[in-house]
Amino acid sequence: AQSVTQLDSHVSVSEGTPVLLRCNYSSSYSPSLFWYVQHPNKGLQLLLKYTSAATLVKGINGFEAEFKKSETSFHLTKPSAHMSDAAEYFCVVVPVGGYQKVTFGTGTKLQVIP
Amino acid sequence: KAGVTQTPRYLIKTRGQQVTLSCSPISGHRSVSWYQQTPGQGLQFLFEYFSETQRNKGNFPGRFSGRQFSNSRSEMNVSTLELGDSALYLCASSLEGTSGGTGELFFGEGSRLTVL
């Protein structure tokens, strides 16, 4: 069994300040972990992925995430928020090596205040 | 390289009708999966197809069905539409799906279904 918990449904930051979006997971299989971003009425775009290589993963648009196995966390960060970062972010667990289902977090809506 | 293409992008149906949505994956991708996104339930997995075989299925009633063709294009069908079927239906493709590779999913922009 697997699950994903995004700890905040809404996060509000000022432009230029750091962003932290939190994700905890559990999985019976060795998972791949992803962060996706969704702008209104659009599909999901991949920000970054963890696939059991380096634990600190760098993605597009200045985002990065750190895989912490001991804490079962995969939090998404960005040093300085930009207005264009306002969107909804999804943490996703994909079990690799098993015919299990993809599991999405419930999403975190990021608001960036000018 | 073209991305994942979903058609139609928007459609309106009435209760009791049926609908067919289409998804063309990225060239070379053999796995296509479908997801329903609603404000109340979030993103939920519908099913995954790999080389024309349904490999996994989510917890949806039998009114939701799908298939994959030899060229990897996929369709999903919803029969006897209900108001609660109003949603954004997203399709994603990947090289190997969840049985290998990294499991990375490439999403289309979705088909927004409104049931009146």
Side-chain angles (χ1 to χ4, degrees):
Chain A
Q2 63 187 28
S3 65
V4 180
T5 303
Q6 290 185 242
L7 297 163
D8 307 291
S9 58
H10 290 83
V11 169
S12 183
V13 301
S14 297
E15 190 176 18
T17 64
V19 176
L20 170 64
L21 305 181
R22 299 181 294 168
C23 173
N24 287 103
Y25 74 94
S26 68
S27 179
S28 303
Y29 293 84
S30 297
S32 290
L33 297 165
F34 302 82
W35 276 99
Y36 284 84
V37 60
Q38 185 179 33
H39 289 91
N41 294 314
K42 296 289 187 182
L44 277 67
Q45 179 188 13
L46 179 68
L47 278 178
L48 50 79
K49 62 184 177 184
Y50 167 76
T51 57
S52 74
T55 56
L56 182 61
V57 181
K58 293 188 185 297
I60 62 171
N61 301 335
F63 284 95
E64 62 181 40
E66 185 171 7
F67 174 73
K68 291 187 176 180
K69 188 173 182 178
S70 60
E71 300 175 11
T72 59
S73 69
F74 189 56
H75 301 335
L76 181 69
T77 61
K78 183 173 181 178
S80 176
H82 191 272
M83 293 300 296
S84 61
D85 295 329
E88 190 159 20
Y89 293 79
F90 292 92
C91 183
V92 182
V93 175
V94 178
V96 179
Y99 289 87
Q100 302 295 320
K101 304 165 190 175
V102 174
T103 303
F104 293 85
T106 50
T108 299
K109 287 187 178 175
L110 176 65
Q111 179 186 22
V112 182
I113 303 166
Chain B
K1 207 172 191 180
V4 178
T5 304
Q6 291 188 245
T7 56
R9 289 291 316 281
Y10 301 90
L11 66 167
I12 300 173
K13 294 285 187 178
T14 56
R15 279 183 300 174
Q17 288 186 310
Q18 73 165 12
V19 65
T20 299
L21 308 177
S22 178
C23 173
S24 294
I26 291 172
S27 178
H29 285 192
R30 294 190 292 168
S31 168
V32 173
S33 49
W34 289 89
Y35 306 86
Q36 182 195 64
Q37 185 177 28
T38 59
Q41 299 298 317
L43 275 156
Q44 293 184 285
F45 170 79
L46 278 157
F47 27 65
E48 179 193 4
Y49 287 88
F50 183 86
S51 295
E52 303 180 64
T53 300
Q54 186 179 87
R55 196 158 64 177
N56 217 330
K57 191 176 190 306
N59 299 321
F60 280 83
R63 300 185 298 107
F64 291 81
S65 63
R67 59 178 175 169
Q68 187 180 32
F69 302 97
S70 58
N71 62 358
S72 293
R73 189 178 71 85
S74 177
E75 290 181 347
M76 68 162 281
N77 182 276
V78 187
S79 62
T80 320
L81 284 166
E82 300 177 359
L83 295 178
D85 297 333
S86 294
L88 180 67
Y89 290 88
L90 291 164
C91 161
S93 76
S94 67
L95 273 170
E96 296 289 340
T98 58
S99 71
T102 65
E104 181 175 346
L105 299 171
F106 297 83
F107 285 85
E109 298 216 319
S111 293
R112 183 165 294 282
L113 170 65
T114 302
V115 182
L116 303 176

